[in-house]
Amino acid sequence: MRSHQRQLQVIRREKLFKKKIALIQSDDEVDVAVNSAATNDAFDDSEVLCESEYVMYENPFQIDIRSAAEMSVENTILHAVLNAMKIQQEFSGSQEQFMRILNYDRDLYCKGDSGLQNRWPSSWQSCVAILQAQGYTEPRKLYICLDEEHPFRYDVMDSPISTCKYCGKQGSIPYYYLRLSDKIKRWCQDAMFCKKITAHWREKEHWLKAEHKNFKKCEIWDGSRFAEYAWFWDPTALWHLPALCPLCKHVVSSKYMNEVSKQNMNANGTVSIECPNCDNCFDHLLKSTRGDPRNIALIGSIEVSIATMRKSDRSKVDEVYVCGFVPSYLLPNKCPVSLDPFLEPLVTEVLDLFINGKGALEIPNEFKNMALQALRLIMLLRWQGFPLEKHLSGVCFYYGQEIIQHSLK
């Protein structure tokens, strides 16, 4: 009987609470006396509600507090998953050992609370789902064919059932590629990290429109390295974007297009371009953009670091980002005789991030007052340490005014 009366009291309080919310949302005046009388009528002094029921219906602003509490639980679970992964990596543990660590964290945090225990991840798949909800994505799995029938030729396929264009066989070498675009998205979500990757702009007087010879060379941007590409970060610099040949995917520099546009400009504003690589003719609409201090420069190849970050931060192990895992034991003769197929996804994405940019990401720091535009990326690198030039044909990176061919010496 008492439990039935308590349920009725809870229902009556819930109706009253919903009525208050409706009045507040409609901007109507609330008669405090009437609501107080209704509240007193709904509450029977002979019966005392439990604390959780009273808190739920007493304060209409308690909804926001409960949401913050739920967010706190979700953040705690996320941090527990990430910390367990870090411990697993340090000790080269298995998934089973990872779940043991996570379950130990669960026992310490939940303290027997069945509600919290039900929200705690109970399997590896549930942990992956939590990470994916925060923006983490699985690596892109590719399949590479380096068959002996076509030496020094390769094909990269997205599906395990796709066949090589040279031999007709399926790709036998799996390759996991971690996208740069996903890394950039996570970088821009952290205000402190955004401050780190824009350290070059706080010392722009060392390289932007200045006599950089007078400054002590402590960072990578001191001297002529960044001064050569100052247009990439200078908001006052206006420059044309390159184009990709739709047939052979060759990069056509804006310098070449500027020369052609003087003679082959069409009435609709496009330029008729003849690809220097395959002689394919196509029309291209010239696009221009301005420099942006939020643009990112990377150093490396398969493993990259952020060039716009201070050397003291960039040299840390945690700031080296892996873009792929090369299974050298599966390559012909168990040695990396050709790295081209493993670099192709990286080069393709770098070109896309330079030409098309990455959305309109807002970096939450001193640049947020600037107009939003596509965040772009360049690579500052040189291939070194490989034995033969023929094993790495070279990769073209576009730096705005020309295409620099990086090859081995």
Side-chain angles (χ1 to χ4, degrees), residues 241-246 249-254 257 273 282 284-286 355 398 403:
L241 293 169
L244 285 178
C245 175
K249 304 303 180 182
H250 181 77
V251 182
V252 182
S253 68
S254 60
M257 289 190 296
I273 300 175
F282 62 97
H284 175 72
L285 180 62
L286 286 177
I355 297 175
Y398 179 81
I403 294 178

Side-chain angles (χ1 to χ4, degrees), residues 127-299:
C127 293
V128 172
I130 292 174
L131 296 177
Q132 289 177 346
Q134 298 297 324
Y136 292 87
T137 56
E138 295 183 357
R140 179 186 175 193
K141 189 173 183 180
L142 303 172
Y143 300 88
I144 297 173
C145 181
L146 282 172
D147 197 87
E148 296 178 353
E149 295 183 8
H150 43 86
F152 308 118
R153 290 182 178 271
Y154 65 88
D155 193 13
V156 182
M157 295 154 282
D158 292 325
S159 173
I161 61 175
S162 300
T163 56
C164 175
K165 59 184 177 182
Y166 298 108
C167 63
K169 299 179 181 179
Q170 296 179 354
S172 59
I173 303 175
Y175 176 55
Y176 290 92
Y177 175 69
L178 287 77
R179 301 175 182 86
L180 288 174
S181 57
D182 296 333
K183 300 180 188 295
I184 294 174
K185 182 179 179 181
R186 291 193 292 271
W187 293 344
C188 294
Q189 292 175 347
D190 189 340
M192 292 300 297
F193 193 84
C194 292
K195 187 174 181 179
K196 288 183 178 180
I197 64 178
T198 52
H200 69 295
W201 192 250
R202 285 185 287 275
E203 295 185 358
K204 57 181 179 295
E205 64 275 3
H206 293 202
W207 52 273
L208 182 66
K209 298 179 181 180
E211 291 293 335
H212 41 265
K213 296 181 180 180
N214 298 330
F215 295 96
K216 187 177 180 180
K217 295 179 175 61
C218 299
E219 301 290 344
I220 188 174
W221 50 77
D222 295 330
S224 60
R225 187 66 179 272
F226 271 39
E228 183 180 357
Y229 308 121
W231 49 266
F232 187 63
W233 294 284
D234 187 1
T236 62
L238 182 66
W239 37 279
H240 291 294
L241 293 169
L244 285 178
C245 175
L247 185 62
C248 67
K249 304 303 180 182
H250 181 77
V251 182
V252 182
S253 68
S254 60
K255 182 179 180 180
Y256 175 80
M257 289 190 296
N258 289 336
E259 296 175 355
V260 175
S261 62
K262 299 176 182 179
Q263 301 175 352
N264 299 333
M265 179 65 72
N266 300 324
N268 57 359
T270 61
V271 179
S272 297
I273 300 175
E274 182 179 353
C275 178
N277 184 53
C278 65
D279 298 330
N280 175 45
C281 295
F282 62 97
D283 293 338
H284 175 72
L285 180 62
L286 286 177
K287 297 180 181 179
S288 60
T289 185
R290 292 188 179 273
D292 195 320
R294 296 167 289 192
N295 289 340
I296 300 175
L298 300 180
I299 308 174

